[in-house]
């Protein structure tokens, strides 16, 4: 635990030296919610229908923005591997008396706290400014889903960051993958409105699983049985990604 707290403190020190980077992590999701939520809410005047329940578009969009924010924080954290490799501290870390798992967990703990703060800012603004009806009884699930989502995506992206040694190639692969994941998910539109082939892809997309759980936790919309299945699926995704990241740390980084 001492090593984990040491890495947590290091991530904190890195973040406070770049307040612009932290500002984007904390407030960009809010800007997306306000700009797209208010703008597209008028375009969807009749609302979005999910499981027979009609809701305003900005209410539907809130969980998608939260999922996007967790993914964004995971991107920024995983990109730190390139900075550490460039200055040599990465390989020094691997000589310290800690497990590879502790190294990965330590890097993401502070950023999970950051994800919770930005979620609070975004949700509070959505409730107070946009009048989004929050499912107050599910706030505990929202906290868990935010943390698990951020951690899961970090472990997954760490595999790419550790195997790809050029930052420009990493950014290219990441942007293409993110576009495809976002396009084939329930972040910005309900699955029922998608073509059949795209809906099939979306059901197997971890970004859809995370968004659906967040949607159920924030506004109480969704099929509870499907949300439970998606929750379990995302936890499996997290564990597989963690095992893959640990394995990559052991074998690929020295090549």
């Amino acid at each position: 635990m001492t090593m984990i707290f040491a890495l947590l403190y290091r991530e904190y020190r890195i973040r406070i030296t770049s307040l612009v980077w932290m500002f984007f992590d904390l407030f960009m999701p809010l800007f997306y919610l306000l700009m797209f939520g208010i703008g597209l809410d008028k375009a969807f005047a009749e609302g979005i229908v999910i499981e027979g329940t009609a809701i305003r578009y900005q209410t539907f969009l809130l969980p998608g923005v939260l999922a996007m924010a967790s993914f964004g924080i995971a991107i920024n954290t995983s990109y730190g591997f390139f900075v550490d490799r460039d200055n040599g501290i990465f390989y020094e870390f691997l000589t310290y008396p800690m497990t590879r798992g502790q190294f990965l967990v330590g890097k993401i703990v502070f950023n999970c706290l950051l994800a919770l703060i930005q979620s609070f800012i975004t949700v509070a603004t959505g409730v107070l400014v946009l009048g989004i009806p929050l499912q107050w009884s599910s706030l505990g699930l929202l906290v868990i889903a935010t943390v698990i989502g951020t951690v899961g995506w970090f472990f997954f992206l760490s595999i790419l960051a550790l195997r790809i040694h050029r930052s420009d190639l990493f950014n290219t692969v990441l942007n293409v993958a993110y576009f495809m994941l976002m396009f084939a998910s329930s972040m910005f539109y309900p699955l029922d409105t998608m073509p059949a082939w795209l809906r099939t892809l979306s059901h197997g997309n971890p970004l859809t699983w995370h968004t659906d759980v967040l949607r159920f936790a924030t506004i109480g919309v969704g099929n509870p049985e499907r949300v439970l299945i998606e929750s379990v699926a995302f936890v499996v995704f997290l564990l597989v990604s963690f095992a893959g990241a640990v394995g990559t740390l052991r074998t690929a980084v020295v090549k």
Side-chain angles (χ1 to χ4, degrees), residues 1-236:
M1 291 300 295
T2 301
M3 295 304 300
I4 291 177
F5 283 119
L7 286 165
L8 183 155
Y9 180 71
R10 178 178 183 268
E11 289 295 315
Y12 160 74
R13 296 297 301 178
I14 291 173
R15 286 303 189 122
I16 65 173
T17 60
S18 180
L19 295 180
V20 173
W21 188 11
M22 184 174 290
F23 174 84
F24 274 94
D25 276 339
L26 291 177
F27 293 101
M28 278 304 293
L30 177 59
F31 292 155
Y32 280 115
L33 177 64
L34 293 176
M35 288 188 298
F36 291 103
I38 294 176
L40 293 178
D41 192 59
K42 298 183 182 299
F44 294 91
E46 297 181 358
I48 301 292
V49 178
I50 305 179
E51 301 292 336
T53 302
I55 57 176
R56 297 171 61 188
Y57 183 76
Q58 58 194 19
T59 300
F60 174 84
L61 181 62
L62 173 62
V65 168
L66 296 178
M68 180 173 60
S70 290
F71 195 97
I73 288 177
I75 289 175
N76 292 337
T77 309
S78 61
Y79 188 81
F81 285 119
F82 289 95
V83 179
D84 289 344
R85 264 201 298 249
D86 289 342
N87 60 33
I89 191 66
F90 174 74
Y91 297 102
E92 183 177 337
F93 272 133
L94 299 183
T95 67
Y96 289 174
M98 62 178 172
T99 66
R100 300 299 190 254
Q102 287 176 325
F103 178 49
L104 290 169
V105 172
K107 285 188 67 68
I108 194 58
V109 170
F110 173 75
N111 293 283
C112 285
L113 298 176
L114 201 64
L116 289 175
I117 294 173
Q118 70 81 17
S119 292
F120 173 80
I121 293 172
T122 304
V123 170
T125 304
V127 171
L128 297 175
V129 177
L130 301 180
I132 294 175
L134 191 66
Q135 188 80 6
W136 296 100
S137 60
S138 300
L139 287 182
L141 178 59
L142 173 59
V143 170
I144 295 172
T146 299
V147 171
I148 290 180
T150 305
V151 171
W153 286 118
F154 167 69
F155 290 154
F156 174 75
L157 295 174
S158 293
I159 299 174
L160 299 179
L162 292 168
R163 290 189 177 276
I164 300 174
H165 286 247
R166 287 174 45 193
S167 60
D168 58 338
L169 180 58
F170 173 74
N171 287 327
T172 300
V173 171
L174 187 62
N175 286 330
V176 172
Y178 187 34
F179 175 79
M180 294 175 63
L181 288 169
M182 186 171 56
F183 178 68
S185 75
S186 60
M187 287 178 61
F188 301 119
Y189 34 76
L191 297 184
D192 294 342
T193 63
M194 295 181 180
W197 66 270
L198 185 57
R199 186 163 60 247
T200 301
L201 292 176
S202 298
H203 283 306
N205 184 353
L207 197 56
T208 292
W209 307 339
H210 188 210
T211 303
D212 287 350
V213 174
L214 287 171
R215 187 162 285 127
F216 186 79
T218 51
I219 60 177
V221 174
N223 185 300
E225 293 181 358
R226 187 172 69 188
V227 169
L228 178 59
I229 293 173
E230 290 175 329
S231 300
V232 173
F234 195 92
V235 171
V236 173

